[in-house]
Amino acid sequence: MIGLRSVIKNSKTTVNVVRSYSTNNSTLLNISRLVDGYRNHGHLAANIDPLARMERVRSELLNLDRYNLNKDLEIPSVKEIIKLDVDTIDEVVQFLEKAYCDDVTAQFSHIESVEEKEWLYEKFESIQNETISNESKVEILKNLIKSEVFDHFMQKKFPTFKRYGLEGNESMMVSCDAIFKESAKSQLKNVVIGMPHRGRLNLLVQMCKYPAKDFFWKVKGNSEFDENTIGLGDVTSHIAVSSDLEFNNGEKVHVSLIHNPSHLEAVDPVAAGKTRAKQFYEASNGGSESLCLMLHGDAAVAGQGVVTETLQLSQLPGFTIGGCIHVVVNNQIGFTTIPSNGRTNRYSSDIGKYIGAPIIIVNSQSPEQVEKVSRLAVEYRQRFKKDIVIDLIGWRKFGHNEVDEPAFTQPTMYDNIRRRQSIPQRYATKIISEGIYSEAELASFTQAEKDALEAQFQLAQPENFKYSPMDHLQGKWSGLIQSKTIQNDAKLDTGYNVKELEQIAQDSVKVPADFSVHQRLNRSFGNARLDKLKSNLADWATAESMAVGSLMKQGYNVRISGQDVGRGTFSQRHFNLHDQATDRVYQPLNNMGASGKLEVVNSNLSEFAVLCYEYGYSLESPKTLPIWEAQFGDFVNTAQVAVDQFISGSEAKWLRQSSIVLLLPHGYDGAGPEHSSCRIERFLQLSDTEAVNVRDEELVNKETNFYFINPSTPANYFHALRRQMIRNYRKPLIVAGPKVLLRHPACFSPIEDMAPGTHFETVLSDPDTVSNPSAIKRVIFCSGKIFYDLQEERKAKNIQDVAIVRLEQIAPFPYERVQEEINRYSNATKFAWVQEEQQNSGAWSFVEPRFKQRFDQTSNIKYIGRPPLAAPATGISTIHKKETAKLLVDAFSF
Ligand SMILES: Cc1ncc(C[n+]2csc(CCOP(=O)(O)OP(=O)(O)O)c2C)c(N)n1
Ligand SMILES: [Mg+2]
């Protein structure tokens, strides 16, 4: 008895698989070893590179001698090893050669699950015997020709335009078409696509139905937005489309090719996040209706770390999307970089091994194989709900773009490429020779495609052009507006019924009778919250629970994600409670009868992918408040691309609104250089709120790309969160969040401050001086937690003539409220901005020109804070203490 036993173990399942062969025939054992040789090493010898530049190695594990086998040997049935009815070794070898060493091959040996592996071997090996109908062959050809016609048309009409053509890898279109069709067949309703530049325009116009006339209009240098729509716009290779595809058999699928920035692979987690949000809102709510498809370049997928960060999310509870299909559009070059300089691995697609994903590698010159493996990919994803990778190896006909000369750097490669027949023409020759399609039919189809593009081109002439309807603020987003001025919500009522708020606060710490919370937590958190409620006071975490809970009661969903957010970095939040006997997790806010849902996602240790993911999540529906929290604010810098490319400019570039909230713990409390600063100055530099040197009221009330706040009270934080959803538009919100204020004895808000009729205060008046402003000679403006230190210092020194005014919102700058405060202290002659950050950091560089140029009284406003420093803070606690003491002395000595 030959037995193979293995245990598949992962965090979700443990499966014992016992496979036994019913014979002890040693020939069968040897055949089994030969089969393993092909399955594990056959790919090294495969004919997958159309340029024949990749080294092909015949592993000795493919030699019959090694297994005491020879071609003429009579063999028993091999059906238990491979699905094959044969009598000779020769037939076995031919079968395996075709399966693994020809124009398509696979790597499955790294997969842990025996069940998956066996399914994949059987399916993949049988592909070679699968016939493709004549009708499908014609479809394949048509997709290839459509791509080629498009590239040629663009080359002719716009010879200097950088279109990142698909010539040399047109099979990408075949792959996408097969994935879409198979998705429709498998009851999938949506495909969300994240992809880079290569072939994007072909897919956009020739398959995903972006109106060609609007596309040509844009290529000519015009806006993609109609006259009534405000926006910066983006380059053509970043444009998105969302449309219904219907196939010949009547099946349909909705495809969303989402916007991407140039920053390669950054769109991957965005696509995944959007897919997850779609799945959340699906009728079935099981994630079975939406698929994520990611296309990658061969150089980018191997080089960019965000790819591995994204792959790592694929099976995590708060992130899984039931498997993503990855297609590497591999032209064996990245700009001028050849594979030997671009990666350590043999294949770009080896990244799939990182998560045990099946990898199928196919010669792009064999579009029928491309079609088959693409269908298989959908089948695998549907069955196992996991990622799968297809590596499509072709070439790139021109330089990185069509105006680059590739032979400067790749002379022999391009000598080879120049002499090649195109993939569409090669395939046309094949199916014409098979008698499936005629020369005349090909000519007529090609001409019809050209004519169709020409007709659209004519519609893009200025005298003919009319925009197709804009697609933003449709569907789930209908009813929302593009906000025109920041004044819309200056006093937006975001209060909530006090009784209900108290109830939410109580419910937020309530657990079932059989649930045991850690005793210390019960005292310091649960009971402490209830005690404070008796005095109608809420601390930061309570206000957060009340904001989240009240939104849920109003039907909004809230998703909070980030490292350890369930508990909170500072052990302040406790949205998840853990039973001390069983580890069971209980979420009080999800058990208080609200119609909205709270999703608490303790993320893996990633910022870049996770923040992009949450941004992607936010794009799907305005009914979810997506919150991402950095463990400490400084860690947001590893997600800089998410901020720069998506959060800051997505509405301006793409008309895509997002209500994402970034919670970034910030504050100088002696924690050292890395845990003190979320780099307020960097966010403020990204704000487009207005030009500082103008006094025109209209310009001051300009639209803004996001809100940056540094709230100092729980109530204000409460309003800021609620404002995100109560508005009739969506904007990202960046919060310089608290650390010491979470437990500061003075940092409580009366619940009345959250009652109906209350709102987010962009500026907080000085509670101690507001009643007697005439005594005030000097005014300090500040922001954040330093207010409490200043207030204490003033009290300790019994200073009577200084007012301390807090800017709770820094961008957009609250001009009107600042003016009111300046006016209030009409006897004040001296003004200072006090911050704990160093001078080259914090809000100073943003507020300075505004104070100096907008208001006469503050034209000489003084800076009081740390001097410029190379790092945000000192790591030496004695120095920190001295600096803080000096700061407080300086603050009252101007
Ligand atoms: C993060 C990032 N770094 C660098 C670039 C500049 N760049 C644009 S395309 C490209 C080469 C991409 O090669 P590959 O991924 O193989 O795609 P291909 O253009 O060959 O389809 C580079 C380096 C970029 N867009 N993004
Ligand atoms: Mg490439």
Side-chain angles (χ1 to χ4, degrees), residues 210-222:
Y210 189 89
K213 67 170 173 49
D214 298 76
F215 172 76
F216 292 133
W217 180 249
K218 169 74 183 163
V219 175
K220 288 173 173 184
N222 302 302

Side-chain angles (χ1 to χ4, degrees), residues 625-629 659-663 721 724 732-735:
L625 176 66
I627 304 174
W628 177 77
E629 183 173 68
S659 56
I660 192 161
V661 178
L662 272 61
L663 298 182
L721 290 181
Q724 287 299 95
L733 171 71
I734 324 291
V735 186

Side-chain angles (χ1 to χ4, degrees), residues 95-123:
F95 177 83
L96 293 170
E97 283 285 325
K98 186 87 187 98
Y100 291 101
C101 302
D102 203 344
D103 51 3
V104 58
T105 193
Q107 293 193 82
F108 303 140
S109 58
H110 54 282
I111 295 171
E112 212 175 89
S113 152
V114 175
E115 185 198 350
E116 276 179 48
K117 242 198 280 212
E118 293 193 336
W119 185 90
L120 282 160
Y121 285 137
E122 190 182 323
K123 284 277 171 190

Side-chain angles (χ1 to χ4, degrees), residues 181-189 251 288 378-379 382:
K181 283 182 180 147
E182 190 65 22
S183 298
K185 199 170 134 198
S186 314
Q187 316 303 319
L188 282 156
K189 294 198 175 130
E251 285 168 347
S288 51
V378 179
E379 219 184 312
Q382 289 300 87

Side-chain angles (χ1 to χ4, degrees), residues 382-417:
Q382 289 300 87
R383 187 178 178 98
F384 295 103
K385 304 283 177 222
K386 285 181 162 178
D387 288 28
I388 179 163
V389 185
I390 298 173
D391 195 345
L392 209 59
I393 305 189
W395 66 88
R396 184 188 73 189
K397 183 165 181 203
F398 296 104
H400 174 60
N401 57 62
E402 290 64 30
V403 283
D404 263 354
E405 174 49 67
F408 287 165
T409 49
Q410 270 73 35
T412 60
M413 183 184 199
Y414 273 82
D415 185 49
N416 179 338
I417 289 172

Side-chain angles (χ1 to χ4, degrees), residues 666-786:
H666 173 92
Y668 285 53
D669 49 17
E674 314 310 348
H675 290 2
S676 297
S677 172
C678 71
R679 294 296 196 171
I680 288 175
E681 68 283 3
R682 290 194 189 146
F683 287 99
L684 295 176
Q685 197 181 40
L686 290 174
S687 168
D688 72 347
T689 172
E690 84 297 310
V692 289
N693 56 348
V694 284
R695 287 193 171 208
D696 184 309
E697 292 302 325
E698 277 189 26
L699 282 171
V700 166
N701 292 338
K702 187 188 157 294
E703 158 69 335
T704 190
N705 51 345
F706 58 76
Y707 284 68
F708 188 95
I709 65 170
N710 188 8
S712 67
T713 68
N716 236 6
Y717 176 50
F718 167 91
H719 287 296
L721 290 181
R722 286 184 48 77
R723 188 170 69 162
Q724 287 299 95
M725 293 286 104
I726 305 300
R727 286 172 174 147
N728 57 353
Y729 59 89
R730 298 287 176 263
K731 288 281 175 194
L733 171 71
I734 324 291
V735 186
K739 293 185 288 172
V740 296
L741 292 192
L742 295 169
R743 295 191 173 78
H744 196 286
C747 190
F748 287 90
S749 289
I751 301 197
E752 284 305 319
D753 286 0
M754 302 171 229
T758 57
H759 57 82
F760 178 79
E761 300 282 357
T762 54
V763 171
L764 282 176
S765 307
D766 188 333
D768 305 326
T769 63
V770 75
S771 56
N772 185 19
S774 57
I776 297 303
K777 300 281 184 318
R778 295 174 290 167
V779 178
I780 290 175
F781 285 99
C782 67
S783 185
K785 88 169 207 305
I786 195 168

